[in-house]
Amino acid sequence: MNGLHTYINPAGARMLGYNTPAEVIGITRISDAHTPEDFKYVMEVCIPAALKNGSWSGENRLLRPDGSILPVDQTIVAIKDKNGRPSSMGSIMTDLTERKRTEQELQESRTLIESVVENAPFMIFVKEAADLRFIIFNHAGEELVGRSRKDLLGKNDFDFFPPEQAKWFTAKDREVLEKDGIYDIPEEPILTAKKGQRILHTKKISIKGPDKTTKYLLGISEDITERKLAEEKITELNEDLKLTVSKMETANKELETFTYSVSHDLRTPLRHITAFAKLLDKEAGDQLKGETRHYLEVISASAVKMDELITSLLAFSKLARTRLKVHIFSGRELAEEAAADIKGEHRDREIEWRIGEIPQLNGDRFMLKQVFINLLDNAVKYSRGKNPARIEIFSHSTGDETIIGVRDNGTGFNMKLYDRLFGVFQRLHTDQEFEGTGIGLANVKSVISKHGGRVWAESMPDKETTFYFSLPASDHEVKQAG
């Protein structure tokens, strides 16, 4: 046996990488068809086994002239002469290329599936149908139940869950195995080793084997404990909200009753006071001197002031209950309209007006005009000691909101009193200094809050004061805030 090929069929020649048997017979040797490592394996393992046992079978590799490797299933047979001594070796080979490719693809698919199962954020498990013992348990499942898979595999629910819970799980599993399709368990309580009681949303399905009989049970479980707690919290908040809404509705009804009372019950005695003061002045006006005259004047002035306060309070109450009529409009035009109204009332004043660029606004135009009028009216009033007075309207955008400012060079206020600035009937100056009811800025805050915006102010006494308010940008939806 010199290793030369003495016979090969056409299929064998092609497997070795040749076109015809003539290119192989008497020309190539066994060593030419193997890498040194594979040839060593053939000479030390395969051929000795064939000589000893008569044949050897197994997988081998052929080296082709172009350097490629061909996997084969090979049977080597020892051929003996008439004296019973080995004279040559015969070989039967089957090309394993397609089988190896299929095996590789199957292995890649298996690896992908195993990776998906292992890295899935939900617990995934597989049980044998016969005794419901776990045969697959992923990492998320280990984290959830608080046990390693080596403690889980080969065991069933009775090995680590309380008996009652294990019975419940087993009963559900048996239901799944008896049916086709997905079995959905929206809420499944489970006692874990480290996280205590959890709530799972589990889906299970039976898996059949090639013989169409049920072999396994697949389960996928999502821990919904936090979601359930959040839902319970939302439900609780909704109940609280319903109660709050109910209280607000009651309060609104009480406010309407109060408003009616203010409008009628309080104004009736006020009209009496005003009427009797006028009558007293008419009947005994010439006889009233000094302090007596002063007392009558104080009564009349106070009645007028009270009537103004009641009117302002009613307006504030009505504004608070009025719903917004939202649309988009020119902010610049609105500011100019409001300024024109104020200018008409103060033609005798020397005032420098500066109205900058103001973008489109999204809101209730009528209410926002009242905001501008209130702020501009304050600016004119508190700057009347200046000559000239300077009043400026400006704006800038931050993306989500538009910020508008009204600045004047008037008397200003002490920032230590800031907390009182936007309160109802809260005034930082006396009536002798500046007239007013203390409702204007409260109205401003109410309107802007209804639009989902903010109000604030900055002041340096005797230098300048700036009132700011913000509104959602015109491309943002304005929701009723009050």
Side-chain angles (χ1 to χ4, degrees), residues 327-332 358-362 397 402 471-475:
H327 61 280
I328 296 175
F329 53 88
S330 168
R332 175 67 182 268
I358 301 176
Q360 286 191 316
L361 302 179
N362 190 15
S397 297
T402 297
L471 295 170
S474 61
D475 57 347

Side-chain angles (χ1 to χ4, degrees), residues 22 66 164 192 212 246 359 420:
D66 62 3
E164 289 303 315
T192 67
K212 304 301 181 181
S246 177
R420 295 168 50 192

Side-chain angles (χ1 to χ4, degrees), residues 68-85:
S68 62
I69 299 295
L70 181 73
V72 295
D73 183 41
Q74 185 176 32
T75 297
I76 299 175
V77 180
I79 301 175
K80 299 179 181 180
D81 59 18
K82 60 183 179 178
N83 297 316
R85 290 177 298 190

